[in-house]
Amino acid sequence: MAEHPSSDPSDILIIGGGIAGLSAALALAGDHQVTVLTKGSAGESATLYAQGGIAAVLDPLDSFDDHIADTLEAGAGLCHPETVEYVVRHGPEAIQRLIHMGVPFTREPGEEGPLAGFHLTREGGHSHRRIIHAADATGRAVETTLLEEAQAHPNIRLLDQHVAIQLITAAKLGRESPEGDRCWGAYALHVPSGRVRTFGARATLLATGGAGKVYLYTTNPDVATGDGIAMAYRAGCRVANMEFIQFHPTCLYHPEAKTFLISEAVRGEGGILRLADGDRFMTRHDERAELAPRDIVARAIDYEMKRTGADCVYLDITHQPREFLERHFPTIRAKLLEYGIDMATEPIPVVPAAHYTCGGIVTDLEGHTDLEGLFAAGETAHTGLHGANRLASNSLLEGLVLADAAQAAIREQVARDPARVPEIPSWDTSRVTESNEEVVVAHDWAELRQFMWDYMGIVRTDKRLERAKRRLDMLMGEVEEYYARFTVTQDLIELRHLALVADLIIRSARSRRESRGLHYNQDYPGPDTSRPSWDTVVYRTADGYDRTEDVPISGNQGSAPPSPHRDAGEG
């Protein structure tokens, strides 16, 4: 393996190689040198595992107004209307870009409309068939196409096996200007060599995805450890609405299966949720039955499992012909057959699992964060699109549309700011030693994910939140002590990021004394209608104190950032 230099400046640094990171890189690489860091192998991202598809208005019988209305309804009063309208209206052109690149979306001869020939499916919460897809492996088709384009581009350098540790800021370098702090890149661990590399950049885009690995059961890949959210928070950025963690209703329940998602599209094509005795229960919970939004379906499954003592429920699509299933769900069908389940003749055992982080780093519609030179896009960002609950298949749409907006803003910033990347010191290892107690990290990982699942899952109570906070405070103390004493490893870096994200989730959930969307607290079973809807915004003050504020939705976009945090003790 080639040796890497310790300091490595470039025009633009992108951390994350999913749909947001790669699409932004491709747009910027025409006239800039772009470095893309990925944690695992190239292409390993949440995008790769997305099954259902991308929501966009592509049918003449559909409309922007209907897609906007569906998104707002799913978001339970917390969507930012201007964000929803922007993303929805730019959806068709984003799809056209993917088609132009050669993404092999599923075709259906005989369809009419501006995108004639493409099959559109329907998912929970949608009033029309508007999900364009590549069979049941849309994310893989999109990720593979984008990755091939990026690997072939001379101005894009893809570096895998790099775990981002912290952002490099002017304040840390002692070079803060009267205009305030700014970002100059990031430190990242090159896992194979164990060396920490310095990546200076004139602009940095965080596209690190969500934080599903904070829970014991998740559909997310191992890379989803909330890295961007944690790093941005430590650097002084606001983070919003972390209490809204979406649990996908249907993850395969099987002792040999790690985390395999059964796409929403299975229900969109007529799949029925049943108990072990064949009883169809969703009709008792919502008039939309299996096509209700995900939060409703997940809570209904959770309720029925607890009521009956069952380990799982069953998703039944045996009424569809085998040929239909082979054509529309080849990936799911093949994976189920590996576990001895034939979806054509028997129902699929399923349980809910943590799936999507609706909150994240506060940004505007161009990806600007509170730190000059730092941008965020995709699941790691909070733009107000999803509100209290993400509408199915709006995530890949957001990644495409808002990454394009972010790259335009990055291009503009680099053009107007000719400043060169300053000299950046190497990562300081003079005060740490090699650890002989890695078991501590492994135990803390397991404990964190277990109590987050037990106390911060689909249904919450004040007592559960208090228990989670007590346990987390102790664990965070252990992690910070370990981080200060020992050489960093991938497990330690990710545990530290996840512990902070868990703290943000718990603090946000304790602040929201109501039930809304994905946040359901039995002590406050309904929404608080006594005041305007608000975002839960958490941040760290300049003197190191953590704060939580309720910010009315109408006033959140474009509001002034808090005083930036000085995280001078790191590195």
Side-chain angles (χ1 to χ4, degrees), residues 12-283:
I12 297 155
L13 174 65
I14 296 177
I15 306 176
I19 192 171
L22 290 182
S23 59
L26 287 167
L28 287 162
D31 44 15
H32 294 95
Q33 293 292 326
V34 181
T35 297
V36 179
L37 303 184
T38 64
K39 287 173 65 174
S41 60
E44 180 71 8
S45 65
T47 299
L48 185 70
Y49 298 95
Q51 293 177 351
I54 308 174
V57 177
L58 307 172
D59 189 311
L61 300 178
D62 198 1
S63 71
F64 290 137
D65 287 344
D66 285 348
H67 191 179
I68 290 169
D70 292 343
T71 301
L72 293 174
E73 182 175 357
L78 295 194
C79 295
H80 295 197
E82 67 275 24
T83 302
V84 175
E85 181 163 357
Y86 181 88
V87 173
V88 167
R89 291 187 180 277
H90 285 81
E93 65 192 63
I95 298 299
Q96 289 282 16
R97 289 198 297 273
L98 291 182
I99 292 172
H100 180 72
M101 287 184 190
V103 175
F105 291 115
T106 297
R107 292 182 176 272
E108 190 87 298
E111 292 257 339
E112 298 180 357
L115 293 170
F118 290 100
H119 179 265
L120 303 178
T121 191
R122 183 181 175 189
E123 296 179 346
H126 289 274
S127 57
H128 295 273
R129 284 182 171 265
R130 65 167 68 101
I131 316 300
I132 190 168
H133 61 101
D136 59 348
T138 306
R140 182 170 295 275
V142 171
E143 180 73 18
T144 300
T145 302
L146 292 174
L147 185 60
E148 289 174 352
E149 292 275 328
Q151 289 172 329
H153 203 293
N155 286 346
I156 296 177
R157 184 177 53 158
L158 288 163
L159 300 177
D160 60 11
Q161 303 293 326
H162 281 79
V163 182
I165 306 172
Q166 73 175 51
L167 298 171
I168 299 166
T169 64
K172 287 185 176 66
L173 299 176
R175 301 187 179 188
E176 188 174 8
S177 70
E179 290 76 30
D181 204 358
R182 70 159 296 160
C183 182
W184 286 112
Y187 291 110
L189 173 70
H190 180 233
V191 177
S193 69
R195 294 180 57 196
V196 175
R197 301 180 61 193
T198 304
F199 291 94
R202 297 168 66 191
T204 301
L205 173 65
L206 295 173
T208 53
K213 293 296 287 186
V214 78
Y215 285 98
L216 184 61
Y217 302 110
T218 177
T219 64
N220 289 181
D222 290 343
V223 296
T225 54
D227 304 349
I229 296 170
M231 291 190 298
Y233 182 81
R234 292 191 186 102
C237 295
R238 292 169 297 167
V239 172
N241 286 8
M242 290 299 292
E243 66 268 41
F244 298 112
I245 302 295
Q246 186 175 78
F247 289 79
H248 197 288
T250 53
C251 184
L252 175 63
Y253 178 76
H254 190 278
E256 297 176 13
K258 185 179 180 183
T259 52
F260 185 71
L261 177 68
I262 305 300
S263 170
E264 186 116 2
V266 175
R267 283 180 283 131
E269 295 297 340
I272 296 172
L273 286 165
R274 303 185 187 277
L275 298 177
D277 61 3
D279 178 28
R280 182 184 187 184
F281 59 86
M282 274 309 303
T283 53

Side-chain angles (χ1 to χ4, degrees), residues 5 53 136 391 488 503 518:
D136 59 348
L391 182 65
V488 293
D503 189 54
L518 300 167

